[in-house]
Each structure stands twice: as structure tokens, then as C-alpha cells.
Amino acid sequence: GATIEKMTIAGDAVAVQPDIEEGTGSKGITVYVKPGTTAEQLNLVPTIQIAEGAVITLNDEAYVSGTAVDFSKKAVFKVVAESGKTKTTYTVVVQEWNDFDFRSDLNQWETKHATAAAWQQYEEPANGWATSNEGVKYIKLFYGSVLYGQDKPYAVTVTDDAKSGKAARLETLHTGGNALVPKVTSGTVYCGTFKVVITNTLKSTRFGYPCLKQPKSFKGSYKYTPGSTYYTCLNPASDAGSVKEDQAKTDSPAINAVLYEVNNYAYEYLDGTNLLTSDKIVAIASVKDAGTQDSFKDFDVKFDFGKKQFDATKKYKLAIVCSSSKEGDKFSGAPGSVLIVDDLEIVF
């Protein structure tokens, strides 16, 4: 009884109706506006639905239904249940809506942490793509003197060894290893964002962007060289550095595109723990036979919907995820494995 159950906003500046983070306590509301929206256009009237008997305030002042809100300034809604015992605080974030087109020739890259020390700087594909490099940076920061030196390379780099122009080079690294830090860290490039979760680093990767159309297939090019020694992590859940050598196993890459259903775009995502196993998954396009490949090989794989189907009335997110070790999400793989990917594209 202390939540905003629904919020809608009319106006030409609004691109998509707001997302409300579920639960009580400190939560968020994301208001999506069209690119180029000015501060003057952010004076908008929200229609807010709360539980019967609850009380809502805006910036600690009573909020009257139908009153315009200046979303160009800080806006914090608080809802108190009729009982007075439960309260939820919503901080509003205004975000330009990004119609991500789910394709990249990987020719454009940008420097992250450009003003920081040289060892903290790395390159990432521009325009909405992320990598596992931020995780490597944190290993260097906290364990650089004992596990993985600050002078060591990052997992994902730009390369001229490409199908055309430039490409992404992904390498599985030997990052030392202890209970919190994996011995094997795979190079990963994906569309999405990265936010460090110290307690479970696999949750740091937030895969995907809103998808409003039904995807048909996933295209691109790759080449791959496996590392010489494969390590299997014995207990990924509680000891990322515990491994055993498996001489009979050869590493292989992961090249996947995953469509999954969400209740809201801003606060739901798949991560490294559930990319291929979540019950939210609707369809997957996977390069299943990917392996050693000395020269670039093109792929074009269709999305497998199984018994599910695309429903235009529902909300979906779509992720492209490529990793240098197929079992990197289990902290397993062969250090030295190198995957190069180029010209990634979803066909709608």
C-alpha cells in the first residue's frame, strides 16, 4: 500500500511511458523523453495511481493530482501507506530514449577513464556497447600487487585484424585467482552496461536494450584461437579462484543474441548469472558450432523461439553477447583464448 502502482505522462516530449522500480524503500522512476528535449519541455503533468488511503508528496510537499511537475529539477515522490508504517521514496531520473539499432561495424571506439592514471584507461566500442574491461580494472585496483599487475593488458582491445575496418579482440586472461577474483577472466563485448557488483562479479554485466520489433536473425563474422590450457572452476558460486586443469578440454567462444521479456526497461536485465537460463528468455540466436577458426568466418543464425512467440503488446530487451570462453560465466576457460568479432547485426 506504499507504492506508485502506475504513472503515465502526456506530452510531445515523452518518448515512452515511465518505468517504476518495483518494491518498497528507496526506488526509482525513469521518465523517457525524446532526444533534444529542452528543460522548458519537461514541465509535465503525470497521472499517478497509488493504493487507496495512501498519501503522496513531491519534494516533501503535498502533491495534488493533476499538478504539473518540473522534471528538469530534482523530483522525489514519497508514498506513505494508509497504516503509516510503510513508506517508499522514488527519485525521478529523466533519460533520453535510445532507439538502439543492434548493429555495429566496431569501427568506432572510445577511451574510458581518459583523465585517470594510464593503467586505468582502456578502449571500448562506442554507442552503447560495453566490455568486461571494467571488471579487469577493479582486479588491477584491488589486487594489482598480488594477482594481476597494473601493467597487464585488458581483456578487450581494438584491432586492425578485422573483416573490415576495425574489430573487437577478446582474450581470456589469467587473473591470478582467490575466493573473490577468478583465475580465469574471459573477454566479453556486449550491448548493455557494466556496474560493479563486488559480491558477485557476474552480476556486473547488464545485458541488453529495449527491443520494439521482432528479431529474425543474428549476423556477423569471427575468428578464434583457443588457449593451450583449460581450467575448470570447481565452485563458481563461492570460490572463483578454485580451478582444476582439464587437459582433455579445448576452449570455444560464445556468440549469442538473446531476446527476453521484462516488466520495465530501466530496472530489469539479464546478467552473467542467467543470460542463457532465465525463464524470461523468449528466443535465442546462437552460433553453436563456433570453434577454432584461422580466418574470418561469416555467420547468420535465426532466432529460435521454441514454443514462445513475439507479442508486440509486451516489453522486451535484446542482448548481443560475445565472449572468448564459452564457460566464462562459470569462471572456466583457457587463458590465451582469443576471439575476434566484427560486423555484428540483428536483422529485423
Side-chain angles (χ1 to χ4, degrees):
T3 58
I4 294 178
E5 298 173 353
K6 186 177 181 180
M7 175 187 286
T8 57
I9 305 176
D12 293 337
V14 179
V16 174
Q17 290 303 314
D19 276 336
I20 303 171
E21 188 175 7
E22 297 179 352
T24 57
S26 297
K27 299 298 176 182
I29 296 175
T30 298
V31 175
Y32 298 105
V33 298
K34 297 175 182 177
T37 297
T38 64
E40 291 75 16
Q41 292 175 296
L42 290 175
N43 196 48
L44 302 166
V45 179
T47 300
I48 301 174
Q49 179 180 322
I50 60 177
E52 184 177 354
V55 176
I56 185 170
T57 61
L58 171 62
N59 297 335
D60 293 323
E61 299 287 341
Y63 178 70
V64 179
S65 178
T67 303
V69 177
D70 185 357
F71 287 110
S72 69
K73 300 177 181 178
K74 184 177 181 180
V76 179
F77 290 97
K78 292 182 181 178
V79 181
V80 179
E82 185 177 19
S83 66
K85 296 180 180 180
T86 309
K87 177 180 70 175
T88 306
T89 301
Y90 297 94
T91 301
V92 178
V93 175
V94 177
Q95 179 178 313
E96 285 194 352
W97 178 258
N98 176 20
D99 281 322
F100 193 78
D101 63 2
F102 298 100
R103 62 179 175 177
S104 177
D105 57 15
L106 296 171
N107 288 340
Q108 295 181 309
W109 291 65
E110 58 188 4
T111 302
K112 296 293 185 180
H113 312 296
T115 61
W119 67 267
Q120 297 184 47
Q121 299 178 26
Y122 57 82
E123 301 293 310
E124 280 195 340
N127 303 318
W129 294 80
T131 71
S132 53
N133 282 344
E134 185 70 6
V136 176
K137 191 199 82 170
Y138 271 81
I139 294 174
K140 290 184 176 188
L141 176 63
F142 293 109
Y143 302 97
S145 62
V146 292
L147 293 180
Y148 193 73
Q150 295 179 353
D151 60 334
K152 295 291 186 67
Y154 278 93
V156 179
T157 55
V158 58
T159 179
D160 292 325
D161 183 7
K163 180 71 182 292
S164 62
K166 298 181 183 300
R169 182 185 186 276
L170 288 55
E171 181 173 356
T172 299
L173 305 176
H174 188 308
T175 45
N178 61 24
L180 295 176
V181 178
K183 185 183 184 74
V184 176
T185 298
S186 61
T188 304
V189 64
Y190 59 95
C191 56
T193 58
F194 187 102
K195 185 176 181 180
V196 171
V197 178
I198 296 296
T199 55
N200 188 339
T201 55
L202 291 176
K203 289 183 175 290
S204 302
T205 49
R206 298 182 173 187
F207 297 132
Y209 288 113
C211 178
L212 307 182
K213 299 178 291 184
Q214 179 176 344
K216 302 296 185 182
S217 65
F218 174 35
K219 299 172 59 177
S221 299
Y222 82 96
K223 60 191 302 187
Y224 187 72
T225 303
S228 58
T229 304
Y230 194 96
Y231 295 99
T232 297
C233 184
L234 300 175
N235 194 349
S238 60
D239 191 351
S242 63
V243 300
K244 69 173 182 180
E245 185 177 327
D246 189 344
Q247 297 182 353
K249 197 162 188 176
T250 301
D251 209 356
S252 60
I255 306 174
N256 298 297
V258 180
L259 179 73
Y260 62 99
E261 186 179 345
V262 295
N263 293 318
N264 63 69
Y265 297 124
Y267 306 107
E268 289 186 58
Y269 42 82
L270 297 187
D271 56 43
T273 68
N274 60 1
L275 176 66
L276 299 177
T277 59
S278 171
D279 57 8
K280 297 180 180 180
I281 294 172
V282 176
I284 297 177
S286 178
V287 184
K288 296 181 180 179
D289 60 347
T292 302
Q293 187 66 39
D294 295 331
S295 59
F296 276 99
K297 180 178 182 179
D298 296 338
F299 62 85
D300 186 351
V301 291
K302 293 183 179 179
F303 277 85
D304 182 1
F305 282 81
K307 295 182 179 180
K308 297 183 178 181
Q309 60 185 4
F310 188 88
D311 182 346
T313 65
K314 295 181 178 180
K315 292 182 177 181
Y316 299 97
K317 294 177 81 172
L318 176 60
I320 296 172
V321 184
C322 302
S323 296
S324 52
S325 290
K326 189 173 184 178
E327 295 186 332
D329 59 347
K330 300 180 180 66
F331 303 130
S332 300
S337 295
V338 175
L339 170 66
I340 300 177
V341 291
D342 201 2
D343 299 333
L344 302 176
E345 178 182 2
I346 300 296
V347 178
F348 293 95

